[in-house]
Amino acid sequence: MLTGVQVVLLGGDARQLEVIRKLTELDAAVTVAGFDQLHTPLDGAVHAELSADLFPGADALVLPAVGTDDDGTIPAVFSDRELILTEEHIALLPKHCKVYTGMAKPYLREACQRQSIALVELFDRDDVAIYNSIPTAEGAVMMAIQHTDITIHSSSCMVLGIGRTGMTMARTLQGLGAKVKVGVRREEHFARALEMGFEPFYITDLQQHVSNIDLLFNTIPTMIVTAQIIANLPSRAVIIDLASKPGGTDFRFAEKRGIKALLAPGLPGIVAPKTAGRIIADCLSRLITEDTRQRGNAQ
């Protein structure tokens, strides 16, 4: 239980509703800002304006999946008011307070560092990333169905990267009956991909393996699907780039070549916000509980 723990939650989308629900069920004192246009009541949470008064008593500050933008603006789909988190706000937080977000841009990371406030990026955690890979893969399959005129079954698919998202993506395609090639960089990943029934190849040989691909799914967040690679793709191919913005595809050249290329980061929050919210909520509640217990033991 989180009885007596003060949580301030600022902005976000439908995923944050699950976070609020979980925290209030655990008896945390939850104060929210950026939900003034929400028509569904948030039972157990206190609505407030974003002001300096929110920060001095906080044990945890929870931000949206994307944190803030480069000037501190917090995305808030349930409000038409601008929410800006300043470094002065962060300076008001107690030193034991932690800031939780999905991923942080330099603005937030550097402000927390200067004020000696711990920042936790949930999407860096293996458990959250693996759970999130499920709605990501399902969303990518949905996009593939929408943007092709063939079945995934018997299609020739390629997945670049066999990390947390790539593994789930490749297994999902395989389960639907696709022929799956997997691009890897390391020998142990080559061996694992082969053991799982994929057709592995090394990324350095990518150009030699794309000439007969129907669907290419990229999970590598660096420029990997270059103009030279796209030039070798068949005109029917569709690229679905799952890497974080700006992705790893030369979208300009793909358009010039007439190949459909789609950048699709953040699919969990788009295709399955309730599930994605529960993933964040479960992890967040565990972390805050552990932190509260450790503070109690230290006192």
Side-chain angles (χ1 to χ4, degrees), residues 19 23 62 100 122 279-289:
V19 174
L23 293 174
V62 179
Y100 296 91
L122 298 176
I279 292 167
I280 294 171
D282 289 344
C283 178
L284 185 61
S285 60
R286 286 197 308 273
L287 293 176
I288 295 176
T289 299

Side-chain angles (χ1 to χ4, degrees), residues 239-254:
I239 301 167
I240 299 177
D241 199 321
L242 304 174
S244 55
K245 291 182 180 179
T249 299
D250 188 335
F251 292 98
R252 182 201 63 80
F253 187 78

Side-chain angles (χ1 to χ4, degrees), residues 7-13 15-16 19 23 33 35 50 55 60-69 72-75 83-86 89-90 93 98-105 107-109 111-112 118-123 280 284 288:
V7 179
V8 175
L9 189 145
L10 305 178
D13 53 26
R15 288 172 285 188
Q16 299 301 81
V19 174
L23 293 174
F35 293 85
L50 176 55
F55 297 91
L61 174 62
V62 179
L63 300 176
V66 294
T68 70
D69 68 11
T73 300
I74 301 169
L83 295 181
I84 298 179
L85 181 68
T86 67
H89 290 146
I90 295 172
L93 293 170
K98 290 184 179 178
V99 177
Y100 296 91
T101 185
M103 63 182 74
K105 290 191 174 181
Y107 173 91
L108 178 61
R109 195 176 295 120
C112 288
L119 174 66
V120 180
E121 296 183 63
L122 298 176
F123 292 170
I280 294 171
L284 185 61
I288 295 176

Side-chain angles (χ1 to χ4, degrees), residues 30-110:
V30 181
T31 302
V32 302
F35 293 85
D36 47 280
Q37 297 294 314
L38 182 67
H39 301 299
T40 305
L42 294 173
D43 295 333
V46 175
H47 288 264
E49 298 288 332
L50 176 55
S51 70
D53 296 337
L54 295 181
F55 297 91
D59 298 306
L61 174 62
V62 179
L63 300 176
V66 294
T68 70
D69 68 11
D70 294 325
D71 66 359
T73 300
I74 301 169
V77 302
F78 298 114
S79 178
D80 55 7
R81 302 175 187 176
E82 189 174 55
L83 295 181
I84 298 179
L85 181 68
T86 67
E87 187 164 342
E88 287 72 22
H89 290 146
I90 295 172
L92 292 170
L93 293 170
K95 292 306 178 185
H96 71 265
C97 180
K98 290 184 179 178
V99 177
Y100 296 91
T101 185
M103 63 182 74
K105 290 191 174 181
Y107 173 91
L108 178 61
R109 195 176 295 120
E110 291 166 7

Side-chain angles (χ1 to χ4, degrees), residues 11 125 212:
R125 293 174 54 92
N212 194 33

